[in-house]
Structures are given as C-alpha cells and as structure tokens.
Amino acid sequence: MKLLRIKAIAKKELVQIWRDPYSLAMAFLMPVILLIIFGYAVTIDINDIPAVVYDLDSSSMSREYAAELRESGYFTIVAHIESYREIDRYLDSGRAKLAIIIPQDFSKDLHAGRSSQVGVIMDGSDSNTATIAQGYVTAIAEQYTQRLRGVRVKPLIDARTRVWYNSELKSKNFIIPGLIALIMSVIAALLTSLTIAKEWDRGTMEQLISTPIKTPELIIGKLIPYFIIGFIDTVGSVFMATVIFDVPLRGSLFLLFALSCIFLFGALCWGILISIVAKTQVVASQMSLLSTFLPAFLLSGFMFAIANMPKPLQFVTYLFPARYFVTILNDLFLKGSSLQILAGEVLLLVLYGIIIFGLVNKKFRKKVV
C-alpha cells in the first residue's frame, strides 16, 4: 500500500467536493439545520397543557384552586367555561387537552373537612400526555389540600428521591447527544454513498480501474476527505450541543472525539459499501437514508427504550452501530463515563468498522461489469 496513491485519490476527491456546492452544503449545513430543527422540535417534556375550567362553585377557594393549576406551570387555562357542552367543543377542536370541573359545594365541603370530588375530563388520543397530566392534577390536588390544612400529613413510607446525571430531568439533555449520533449516521453514510456511484455515473470509473491503484488504497483515499468533513461536523455538533442547547459535557472531550472517529469510520465504510452495491446515485442515496435514519431513530435507544422492545427486535438492534454510539454519547455527556465503562460499546464499534471495511474491499472489483 503506497501513501502516494492514497494521497492522490484523496486530493482528487477533495477537488470534486470543492467543485460541488451541493455536496458542500449537505456536508456542513445539513447537520446544523437538522440539529436546530430536531433539537427544538423533539422533546418529551410535558408542560403548558391547555385546559379549561368549569367552576360550578364560583367561590374564592375554587378560584384559588384554578390559580394553583395555572401557577404550577404544567397547565395553561385557556378558558373558564359556563356549561358541559363547551367541554366537548374545546376537546373536539383540540384547543384543550383536559377540562377541570369544580363541583358546586367545593368550598363548603373543604370548610367542613369533607373530601370534594373534582372532575377531570381528558383527551386520551395522546395517551402519554393524558397519563402525565393525570399525575400532575393528582399531585397539585394533594399539595393544595395539605396547604389548606396547614399541616403536612406524614406518610407511612417516606421515599426520598435523588436524581443523578440529569438532576433537572430535562429531556434535551438526553435527546441532543442521541441526536448527534442520529445526524452523524445519516450524514456520513449519505456523503460516501455517492462516491463510487458518482464515478460510474460520470464514466470515470474506467479510468480509475485502468490505474495501478489497489482496492484498499482507493477506498482509504476516498474515505479521508469525508472523514475530515465528518469530524468537522462532529466538532460543530458538540459545540452547538454545549453552547446553544446548554447540554452538560461531563466526560473527556478527547475521549468523545476519539470514539466519534471510530464510529465515523464504520459509518463512512457503510456508505461506500452502499455505493458499490447501488451503482447509481439515486438508488445509493435512498438506500443510505433507509439503512441509517430509520434504524438510528427507532432502534438505537434514541427515542424508545430498547428494554421495552420485543425480544427479537432487541437482538436486531445489535446490528446497528448507532445503538452503541448513542450509549457512548449519553454516558459521556451526562455521566462522565470512562473508557473502561464504555469498553463493550467501543469494542463492538471497532468490530463493526473492521467487518464493513473488509466487506467493502471484498465487494469492490477493479473491472467493468
């Protein structure tokens, strides 16, 4: 293997990238755009749930209870309605997700020390929001009751919770690192999936085949420019995550970039493998999106816990490197994990890169088909 040949192929690829503004835009702008869109749009925090209040009591205590719901930050009171019929209109139109019905004798019952049943009607079309909203309503009702009594009822079991790693329980601290893995999976494979196919489409592959360059030299030479671009994208994504989205980075920055390089190598090799198999740019781009975005989004643990998936599907997730990279990023950002703790995921990423690189060298043949 001669470094001079690898350098020549890498230089040729860099010139082609520089002359193609669309490739440059996709390489540098797409990660930024995707990170901004997904970073602000994807969230599992449930706040400001729109609600309506039907107050049959119209007392100072009922108004205070409604204010308690509003001031909690979990609910936004969009209207105080005057009839049951209005509840259907608000829920059907989606202007409200739940309705609070305060009974007529609400204040009288509380003054007498009796329990008062507050009605809650929820829109169950979004079961996750409805379940969380139900818990919010129950907790606020208990706090309001204890405040009225002026004494806190001591439970028989006092469970004291302490949250580690993400003490504020902000979903963005968990989503943004996984989002970096998702974006880098797609970008890396999409960029390199066009390299070999582009040579066939332009008719320049025959010229490369006629040269004395060997297959590993050709593959490595084509990998180098995209590896540099991918690394720059990774640095930019980490910068945006920590500065713009204020996600804490508790682990080693050097370790983060080192392990990102291992993941990038495997992802880029997968793109080249697709390019070799597809032969055309259109098919290659479609195959790269299908084989990276959906697995990285659905089967990596980014959005859905792998432990909650059916057992056969859990075994399938081991085939996708994004699963290991999502774990690595979350652990480095939130837990500050060391290489020793992440050794299992790192070894599997290295194994994946070696296997895919071997398949690329085996699949590519220097001959016209």
Side-chain angles (χ1 to χ4, degrees):
M1 186 179 294
K2 293 186 177 180
L3 294 178
L4 190 61
R5 295 173 182 171
I6 296 175
K7 181 181 177 180
I9 293 294
K11 183 178 180 180
K12 167 187 171 296
E13 201 68 30
L14 278 172
V15 171
Q16 287 184 341
I17 295 171
W18 183 256
R19 290 176 178 176
D20 186 357
Y22 296 105
S23 296
L24 285 174
M26 184 172 63
F28 294 111
L29 292 181
M30 189 179 290
V32 175
I33 294 172
L34 290 176
L35 197 60
I36 291 174
I37 292 175
F38 278 87
Y40 285 112
V42 179
T43 178
I44 55 177
D45 294 334
I46 307 296
N47 295 311
D48 299 322
I49 303 169
V52 294
V53 176
Y54 182 23
D55 188 357
L56 293 170
D57 191 44
S58 297
S59 64
S60 60
M61 295 187 72
S62 63
R63 288 191 294 270
E64 186 180 2
Y65 175 67
E68 192 95 0
L69 292 167
R70 184 181 63 251
E71 296 300 326
S72 67
Y74 299 124
F75 300 98
T76 299
I77 307 301
V78 296
H80 289 265
I81 57 179
E82 302 295 334
S83 67
Y84 279 100
R85 189 173 298 175
E86 290 185 72
I87 293 176
D88 291 334
R89 287 204 297 266
Y90 274 93
L91 294 183
D92 290 343
S93 64
R95 288 179 291 170
K97 291 296 181 182
L98 78 158
I100 307 293
I101 304 171
I102 303 176
Q104 190 170 0
D105 297 328
F106 179 77
S107 58
K108 186 185 297 183
D109 290 338
L110 292 182
H111 280 304
R114 297 189 299 266
S115 62
S116 180
Q117 294 184 347
V118 174
V120 181
I121 299 177
M122 295 187 177
D123 178 2
S125 57
D126 184 350
S127 59
N128 182 56
T129 301
T131 302
I132 294 175
Q134 184 178 7
Y136 288 161
V137 171
T138 302
I140 292 170
E142 291 177 355
Q143 292 177 2
Y144 180 68
T145 303
Q146 290 180 0
R147 190 162 59 81
L148 286 178
R149 291 178 178 176
V151 59
R152 182 174 180 179
V153 179
K154 187 176 182 180
L156 295 177
I157 300 176
D158 186 10
R160 303 197 175 187
T161 305
R162 184 177 180 183
V163 180
W164 284 12
Y165 311 129
N166 187 13
S167 57
E168 296 178 342
L169 295 177
K170 293 181 178 179
S171 63
K172 68 178 180 66
N173 291 344
F174 171 78
I175 289 177
I176 297 298
L179 188 59
I180 295 175
L182 172 67
I183 292 173
M184 298 316 301
S185 297
V186 176
I187 294 299
L190 190 59
L191 288 174
T192 51
S193 66
L194 304 178
T195 54
I196 304 296
K198 191 182 297 182
E199 301 285 358
W200 288 112
D201 284 350
R202 292 176 175 177
T204 55
M205 181 56 73
E206 290 82 358
Q207 298 176 3
L208 285 175
I209 291 174
S210 63
T211 63
I213 190 169
K214 297 179 181 178
T215 298
E217 296 170 346
L218 176 64
I219 301 303
I220 294 174
K222 283 187 168 293
L223 276 176
I224 290 174
Y226 295 104
F227 184 87
I228 295 172
I229 292 172
F231 185 78
I232 294 173
D233 287 340
T234 303
V235 173
S237 298
V238 172
F239 175 80
M240 290 181 64
T242 53
V243 175
I244 296 179
F245 295 102
D246 199 27
V247 178
L249 176 57
R250 298 190 172 95
S252 167
L253 188 62
F254 173 80
L255 182 61
L256 172 61
F257 288 138
L259 300 185
S260 297
C261 289
I262 297 175
F263 172 77
L264 272 176
F265 176 77
L268 292 170
C269 287
W270 176 252
I272 289 186
L273 181 62
I274 290 174
S275 188
I276 293 171
V277 173
K279 294 288 180 70
T280 63
Q281 296 184 65
V282 175
V283 176
S285 60
Q286 292 175 348
M287 287 179 61
S288 65
L289 284 174
L290 185 64
S291 63
T292 55
F293 180 77
L294 290 179
F297 190 82
L298 300 174
L299 301 177
S300 65
F302 164 61
M303 284 300 296
F304 309 103
I306 296 176
N308 296 335
M309 298 178 185
K311 286 293 182 183
L313 200 57
Q314 291 185 31
F315 289 112
V316 173
T317 61
Y318 287 101
L319 299 175
F320 302 104
R323 169 195 170 121
Y324 315 119
F325 196 44
V326 166
T327 301
I328 288 171
L329 288 177
N330 281 327
D331 284 7
L332 284 175
F333 269 93
L334 299 179
K335 298 181 180 180
S337 299
S338 63
L339 181 60
Q340 183 179 2
I341 295 174
L342 299 172
E345 285 77 11
V346 174
L347 287 175
L348 289 170
L349 275 184
V350 172
L351 182 62
Y352 175 83
I354 293 173
I355 291 174
I356 300 301
F357 184 74
L359 287 175
V360 168
N361 282 275
K362 185 177 181 181
K363 194 69 179 176
F364 182 76
R365 291 287 181 267
K366 288 187 63 181
K367 61 181 181 180
V368 179
V369 180

